[in-house]
Amino acid sequence: GITYHGQRGTLFVVGDEGEVAEIRKDGTPVANYRVQGDLEAITVVPETGLLYIGVEQEDVILEFDPVGGEVRRRFPINRAFNGDPNFLQRQTDRYDNGIESMAFVPDPGHPEGGTFYIGNQWDPSIIMEVLVPLKSSQAAEAEARIIRVLPFKMDDPAAMYYDPEKRLLNIVSDADNILVEITLQGEMVKQYAFLADNQEGLCRD
């Protein structure tokens, strides 16, 4: 996963072996950190400058402080939705096929400052809106919950970026090698063929 940090003017990249790297746009390293877990996605909340990291096998969102270089809080995602307690299926193999991409969508009128849109790789392969108690809880660990599943269908939504000017989600399918623009209601706007295979990160400065 990759995201652009507007306040710092740098890119943050995560790897599935537990590495968080801050780099300049020309590729020059700034800092490296170790965070335990299969790290798949990263996004930034513009209001605070804090980063949020998606951990695949655990289906947990970590709040990461780029100034201190440390995890501050954990937000496990409740796997229940629409009465099904195991809507997000727990896997036991090395590749969990869980949360794979993530973007924060700011909303000044929202009590938490906005919500997260998350791509789940398989079981089921969905794009969901997740409520994280960024402001309503100051606990070291607090539950996040699925509040909506978008009607748009895509296999393996492996990378995601929110375009604040168009208010569209840009999502890459690793399985189908396409890039799509969709509305926050889950309606297709445009689709593009994407070069090569196994794309897992997307951002724009």
Side-chain angles (χ1 to χ4, degrees):
I2 185 169
T3 194
Y4 176 69
H5 196 296
Q7 295 176 13
R8 298 170 72 90
T10 57
L11 299 166
F12 280 84
V13 186
V14 294
D16 56 15
E17 299 301 324
E19 186 176 25
V20 180
E22 182 179 13
I23 61 174
R24 295 188 177 90
K25 289 191 289 180
D26 64 2
T28 306
V30 176
N32 272 71
Y33 307 97
R34 301 297 301 182
V35 174
Q36 186 174 356
D38 180 0
L39 313 183
E40 289 288 343
I42 186 166
T43 189
V44 63
V45 171
E47 181 184 355
T48 62
L50 294 171
L51 294 152
Y52 293 84
I53 299 170
V55 184
E56 183 175 26
Q57 292 188 28
E58 300 177 53
D59 289 339
V60 169
I61 299 169
L62 303 178
E63 182 180 79
F64 183 82
D65 179 5
V67 176
E70 60 184 3
V71 173
R72 299 187 355 161
R73 294 189 290 173
R74 291 169 48 88
F75 300 100
I77 300 173
N78 189 322
R79 298 176 187 273
F81 181 68
N82 264 2
D84 181 354
N86 297 305
F87 177 76
L88 286 187
Q89 297 180 28
R90 185 187 298 275
Q91 306 292 328
T92 57
D93 58 10
R94 169 63 180 85
Y95 298 100
D96 183 21
N97 296 329
I99 58 176
E100 192 77 3
S101 58
M102 181 167 63
F104 180 74
V105 176
D107 179 356
H110 193 281
E112 306 295 351
T115 55
F116 291 78
Y117 285 72
I118 295 177
N120 198 65
Q121 190 172 20
W122 304 107
D123 300 327
S125 189
I126 54 166
I127 298 149
M128 54 190 172
E129 185 179 6
V130 174
L131 180 66
V132 179
L134 298 181
K135 296 183 178 182
S136 60
S137 174
Q138 296 304 313
E141 183 165 313
E143 183 180 270
R145 59 185 177 88
I146 305 166
I147 56 175
R148 187 167 61 104
V149 172
L150 273 62
F152 180 78
K153 302 296 183 185
M154 167 184 270
D155 287 338
D156 194 359
M160 190 181 304
Y161 162 75
Y162 174 64
D163 183 338
E165 294 179 5
K166 294 182 178 180
R167 289 189 56 80
L168 297 176
L169 293 171
N170 291 245
I171 308 172
V172 174
S173 168
D174 186 350
D176 297 327
N177 300 321
I178 57 172
L179 166 67
V180 299
E181 290 180 307
I182 67 170
T183 68
L184 297 178
Q185 288 70 47
E187 299 170 351
M188 167 82 80
V189 176
K190 288 185 181 179
Q191 176 177 308
Y192 307 88
F194 215 58
L195 299 175
D197 300 317
N198 304 319
Q199 311 89 349
E200 294 204 5
L202 177 72
C203 73
R204 196 169 89 186
D205 70 7

